[in-house]
Amino acid sequence: MIKKEHVYLILALVHLGLVNLFIWTSYEDEDSSKWYSWLRVYRDFSGCFRDYSYFAPNVANDTRAIFITKTDSDTIQFLPFKVDNEVANIRYNNIISSGMRNPKARDLFAKSWATAIFGYDKSIHNVTVVTEAYIVPAMSDYKKGKRPSWEIIYAGSFEKQVE
Amino acid sequence: MIKRVLEKLMSFFFAPVSLIPLGFFRISIGLIALFLLIQLWPHLLSLYGNFGFIQWAIIETSTDTWFPSIGKLYLLVEPYRVSPEVCVYTIFSIYGLALIGFVFGVGVRICAFLVWLCHISMVNSGFTSIYGLDTMLQVCFFYALWMPLGQSLTIFHFLKKKKKCQSVLSSLSIRVLQLHMCVIYLNTSIAKMSGAQWWNGEAIWRALMQPQFSTFAYDWLSNWPFVPKLLGWLVLIIEFGYIFFIWIPQTKKFWLISVVLLHAGIAIFMGLPLFSLIMIVMNITAFGWSVGSGFFVNYQKYVYKFRKVSFQYKG
């Protein structure tokens, strides 16, 4: 006779099976049919939308961004893409690194950041987005005198279109 | 044969456990999420707003999917002249209130559902800003939907208005979390092992030298390359060994302490305290307690001692 415990156990095993499926394969992304879309819903609802390969296989370069803004009175300002709160800064850093990850999407994300800056101060009419990556030399190179440096990976200028 | 396998499975998944870890889990993840919310509150519009750094037109998923998001809520309430900003603050206010109820253990199921729903909306609306902490919180909140988290350490238990009651789901919950933790460490260790950086120490060196994570000066490591190499190997051993040694009674405590220290190290040396804290909470919930041989509090031993002492006193 099937007991309540058996049902719970089957559900738990199915869940763990799906967790493994989502983490180790991209099976749910292979098709756009209804069955696959339900799998994607379950994946996102259960928090398995990303694998757990943190800092792996390699540690990525740190990134930072600054905005060079020009106001109507031709004042130039340098605004860093960071705030005085470390918890929030981790998120801003993630926005920068995920925006710069795909070279094809860089313009799109930089434009989005510039739009936010235009909204931040109405007198700003031009925003230049500069993004840099922190290049850390290998330990052996560091020992030989090579030092970490910020290198520009993206620069884009955006002009506000006034109708 | 099938009957025997089923019996083994049943005894593994439904062995009696203490209810305390589930209460500890509820309070801990609730407090972490609440602290995170308080920290992010002044930045909500920049991170999740329609005119924040990533506008909804870019981040929002297609409207024909089931994924809840702040933008989708706005589409529903837009005819009533509700602004996008009000939408953002409404979602996060509900999230905050539900978290308070969740922590205190008031209406745990309803609060867990609201917390889970608001959190997935937050994840979908701020997908580019999320990291490991959010993934783990979403996993925890999903488990909170069906785990009996209101069976211990609620305000009603402290006021003695409710008694702890064992549920068949308590044991199953702990087992599922234990197995999920093993999947996490297996996945992360294999991913690390597939690159050269974790074997030659460059990963530790690079992680510690990043301005984002660097809390102290680590350039001296270049003169002692075996130190980061050793640390890298240690991380691989702890993470990969977890899936085996956490199950062996003789090595369980040692491995649990090792993994807790590993996360404490990440918190201190890489400045990721919240992520580390949630990993520590998940580990302690999963493997920190067990009936008869409780790691942090040996309830059975104390109850036995108390009974023995009171018996002797009466005698």
Side-chain angles (χ1 to χ4, degrees), chain B residues 245-262:
Chain B
F245 296 108
I246 203 74
W247 297 102
I248 301 169
Q250 290 86 345
T251 53
K252 181 181 171 181
K253 282 182 191 180
F254 176 78
W255 229 265
L256 185 59
I257 292 170
S258 303
V259 86
V260 166
L261 288 176
L262 170 71

Side-chain angles (χ1 to χ4, degrees), chain A residues 3-6 8-9 12-13 15-16 19-20 23-24 34 37-38 40-63 67 81 83-96 98-99 108-109 111-117 134-140 142-143 148 150, chain B residues 6 9-10 13-14 36 39-40 43 46-48 51-55 58 66-68 116 120 123 127-136 138-139 142-143 168-169 172 176 179-180 183-184 186-188 190-192 194-195 197-198 200-203 205-207 209-213 219 221-223 225 228 270-272 274-275:
Chain A
K3 290 183 194 169
K4 193 168 66 175
E5 284 90 336
H6 293 142
Y8 288 149
L9 180 61
L13 291 175
H15 166 72
L16 287 168
V19 167
N20 277 289
I23 298 307
W24 299 104
K34 203 80 179 167
S37 71
W38 280 110
R40 287 195 290 274
V41 168
Y42 189 78
R43 176 196 64 189
D44 287 17
F45 280 7
S46 61
C48 299
F49 42 79
R50 280 186 184 178
D51 63 11
Y52 306 112
S53 55
Y54 309 121
F55 303 104
N58 300 315
V59 177
N61 294 320
D62 194 2
T63 48
F67 303 109
F81 199 165
V83 286
D84 292 332
N85 178 322
E86 282 312 309
V87 176
N89 265 338
I90 294 175
R91 283 171 197 273
Y92 286 122
N93 250 313
N94 291 339
I95 289 177
I96 299 167
S98 57
L108 176 75
F109 283 105
K111 197 173 172 182
S112 178
W113 306 342
T115 308
I117 298 295
Y134 193 68
I135 312 296
V136 180
M139 272 183 286
S140 52
Y142 189 91
K143 208 175 170 186
W150 287 102
Chain B
L6 194 66
L9 270 175
M10 294 299 278
F13 280 99
F14 294 100
L36 181 66
Q39 291 289 309
L40 293 182
H43 310 281
S46 300
L47 290 167
Y48 306 102
F51 303 108
F53 282 105
I54 307 289
Q55 286 93 58
I58 297 170
W66 282 76
F67 307 133
W116 168 81
I120 188 100
V123 164
F127 201 74
T128 56
S129 67
I130 63 166
Y131 67 111
L133 171 66
D134 304 278
T135 315
M136 291 304 163
Q138 191 57 34
V139 169
F142 177 74
Y143 282 140
V168 286
L169 280 175
L172 186 68
V176 170
L179 292 167
H180 199 135
V183 174
I184 290 172
L186 183 67
N187 184 250
T188 193
I190 287 179
K192 285 184 177 90
S194 65
Q197 284 190 1
W198 284 92
N200 60 22
E202 285 292 331
W205 161 254
R206 287 174 63 82
M209 289 295 284
Q210 305 276 357
Q212 185 188 357
F213 305 122
D219 48 352
L221 284 172
S222 64
N223 292 318
M270 291 178 68
L272 290 170
L274 292 179
F275 173 68

Side-chain angles (χ1 to χ4, degrees), chain A residues 112 115-116, chain B residues 43-60 70-72 74-75 78 82-89 125:
Chain A
S112 178
T115 308
Chain B
H43 310 281
L44 290 182
L45 292 181
S46 300
L47 290 167
Y48 306 102
N50 191 15
F51 303 108
F53 282 105
I54 307 289
Q55 286 93 58
W56 290 351
I58 297 170
I59 194 95
E60 279 298 321
I70 301 170
K72 282 205 188 88
Y74 175 67
L75 288 178
E78 194 191 8
V82 177
S83 69
E85 290 78 14
V86 169
C87 254
V88 173
Y89 283 117
S125 298

